[in-house]
Amino acid sequence: MKEQSIKLGISIGDLNGIGGEVVLKTFEDARMLDFCTPVIFASAKTVSFLLKHFELDINFQGVKEASNVIEGKINVVNVWKDNPRINFGSETPEAGSYAIKSLKAAVTALKSGEIDALVTAPINKANIQGEEFNFPGHTDYLNQELEGHSLMFMVSQKLKVGLLTDHVPVKDVTTKITANLIKQKFKTIHHSLVQDFGVSKPKIAFLGINPHVGDNGVIGKEDDEVLIPTLEELRDQGNLTYGPYAADSFFGSGNYKNFDAIIAAYHDQGLIPFKTLAFGKGVNYTAGLNKVRTSPDHGTAFEIAGKGTADINSFKEAVYMALDIYKKREEYAVLTENILQKQPRKKQYSGRSRGK
């Protein structure tokens, strides 16, 4: 019996950016259909325009609902009937509104199980804002719509970086970082490494909040008063947590190679080294939720939009990773279900407890 193909939902992103280009060029290679059934949330008219503009020879199937997708084909769900104007390289409210329509339709299908996983093409954080959408980006919206606690997890084959705070102004970072937040983010990354990446005993390093981890309070007290005591508590519970390390030398020294994941205090502290070391091969994965969502590690790239020169590697990696994580979660569910099923039987047939 043939294994059912994973239905991979794709939101089209900002129509004036490179999203449409990288999505369609990724599936120009027909071999991609051996791995999944892509479901693009846009419209047949919009996709036809993009195919003509970029001179791509791709056949697709237009469908009204995600429940009607045809396995083994490129499916386009008609989220809108009109024909939006595409003005490559421009930041327009119209493009933002269609990006949100695509995203909302894709997330609705994800929640209902009509698609199995989601890859999001880049949006522009300025033109998406409005009464219907008031979030800094994908991660915060998904955190509201899906179950769990979302965490921005930047992932490549050799480097995984999570964040204590993500889209937060630098002036507010220290007020956001609490012992509870540190524990929550650690728990999310630890569980993701086990469930989504198959790491049995994760080794996780923390970067200091302040330069030189505060230099014993000379450059800030947050490390000594909040971060260090919390890490000690986590270690006392048997977790393999390390640090905090001074961020300025951690990556340049190669120390990051000794850990399964690194947790940075704030956005640029983690993403600058990640994108320096893994740009083009990195993936933005939203860990901690009950559904799988990935995206490329780049933005809308308005400066090259429409020119046909966008690099598809990061988007393709996002596709592969979404599929890999989805399969890993299925394997993990079977494994943990078997363990739970075995435990009651042991108690039933044993007249005494079996201590270690």
Side-chain angles (χ1 to χ4, degrees):
M1 182 175 166
K2 183 181 177 183
E3 186 177 346
Q4 191 173 17
S5 177
I6 297 173
K7 295 177 183 177
L8 185 70
I10 300 164
S11 60
I12 199 66
D14 193 298
L15 295 178
N16 293 338
I18 63 171
E21 179 184 353
V22 297
V23 169
L24 295 175
K25 284 185 174 179
T26 293
F27 293 101
E28 187 179 22
D29 184 348
R31 293 174 297 181
M32 294 296 292
L33 298 180
D34 295 334
F35 305 114
C36 66
T37 295
V39 184
I40 302 171
F41 290 82
S43 77
K45 289 180 181 179
T46 298
V47 170
S48 295
F49 170 86
L50 293 170
L51 291 175
K52 182 177 181 181
H53 179 86
F54 293 110
E55 299 180 348
L56 302 176
D57 184 17
I58 298 176
N59 294 318
F60 69 88
Q61 181 70 39
V63 294
K64 291 183 179 180
E65 304 287 344
S67 58
N68 299 328
V69 301
I70 300 174
E71 188 171 327
K73 302 285 186 181
I74 298 174
N75 295 263
V76 176
V77 178
N78 283 296
V79 179
W80 52 80
K81 295 180 180 180
D82 48 340
N83 196 10
R85 180 183 177 185
I86 296 178
N87 188 9
F88 290 114
S90 298
E91 180 186 310
T92 66
E94 183 183 24
S97 68
Y98 283 101
I100 296 308
K101 288 178 182 179
S102 173
L103 176 62
K104 286 189 172 184
V107 171
T108 297
L110 184 65
K111 290 164 65 175
S112 67
E114 293 174 331
I115 58 174
D116 299 312
L118 173 64
V119 181
T120 58
I123 56 178
N124 178 278
K125 290 180 175 59
N127 67 10
I128 59 172
Q129 303 302 321
E131 292 183 5
E132 294 186 5
F133 193 94
N134 187 22
F135 301 91
H138 286 111
T139 304
D140 304 89
Y141 175 68
L142 292 168
N143 188 62
Q144 172 186 278
E145 294 297 312
L146 302 174
E147 297 174 16
H149 298 285
S150 67
L151 179 140
M152 183 185 290
F153 203 11
M154 304 301 294
V155 179
S156 71
Q157 291 297 322
K158 297 182 179 180
L159 178 61
K160 295 177 177 64
V161 177
L163 304 175
L164 290 179
T165 62
D166 43 47
H167 297 127
V168 173
V170 175
K171 66 181 178 64
D172 298 332
V173 166
T174 55
T175 63
K176 298 287 186 181
I177 297 177
T178 63
N180 285 338
L181 178 72
I182 294 166
K183 293 174 187 177
Q184 177 190 310
K185 299 297 184 181
F186 169 80
K187 181 179 179 181
T188 299
I189 284 188
H190 186 279
H191 183 65
S192 180
L193 289 169
V194 174
Q195 172 189 247
D196 302 330
F197 299 98
V199 181
S200 57
K201 291 285 289 182
K203 295 172 62 179
I204 300 174
F206 279 77
L207 301 181
I209 301 170
N210 295 298
H212 309 296
V213 196
D215 269 343
N216 295 317
V218 176
I219 317 176
K221 298 180 180 179
E222 291 82 6
D223 293 282
D224 288 338
E225 295 180 354
V226 181
L227 184 56
I228 292 174
T230 306
L231 296 190
E232 289 176 352
E233 184 179 341
L234 289 171
R235 279 191 285 270
D236 289 342
Q237 295 169 359
N239 297 298
L240 301 179
T241 55
Y242 300 84
Y245 295 97
D248 60 351
S249 59
F250 182 80
F251 293 94
S253 67
N255 196 13
Y256 70 92
K257 298 176 184 178
N258 297 317
F259 304 98
D260 297 302
I262 297 97
I263 300 182
Y266 56 94
H267 187 279
D268 284 10
Q269 186 190 59
L271 266 65
I272 288 174
F274 179 86
K275 291 190 176 184
T276 300
L277 294 167
F279 195 77
K281 296 181 180 179
V283 174
N284 179 357
Y285 168 48
T286 305
L289 298 178
N290 64 322
K291 299 289 185 178
V292 177
R293 174 262 175 170
T294 64
S295 72
D297 66 359
H298 57 73
T300 54
F302 284 146
E303 67 277 7
I304 61 168
K307 298 179 180 179
T309 59
D311 188 334
I312 69 169
N313 284 327
S314 184
F315 188 86
K316 184 177 283 190
E317 287 296 324
V319 168
Y320 288 145
M321 187 162 291
L323 300 176
D324 288 344
I325 293 174
Y326 182 80
K327 292 176 184 176
K328 275 282 194 303
R329 285 193 174 191
E330 285 192 322
E331 294 169 2
Y332 180 81
V334 171
L335 177 63
T336 53
E337 182 181 14
N338 289 341
I339 291 172
L340 291 172
Q341 287 175 348
K342 290 177 182 177
Q343 287 176 345
R345 286 198 291 268
K346 286 182 180 179
K347 290 181 180 179
Q348 182 178 354
Y349 294 107
S350 173
R352 55 182 177 173
S353 62
R354 298 187 180 185
K356 292 185 178 180

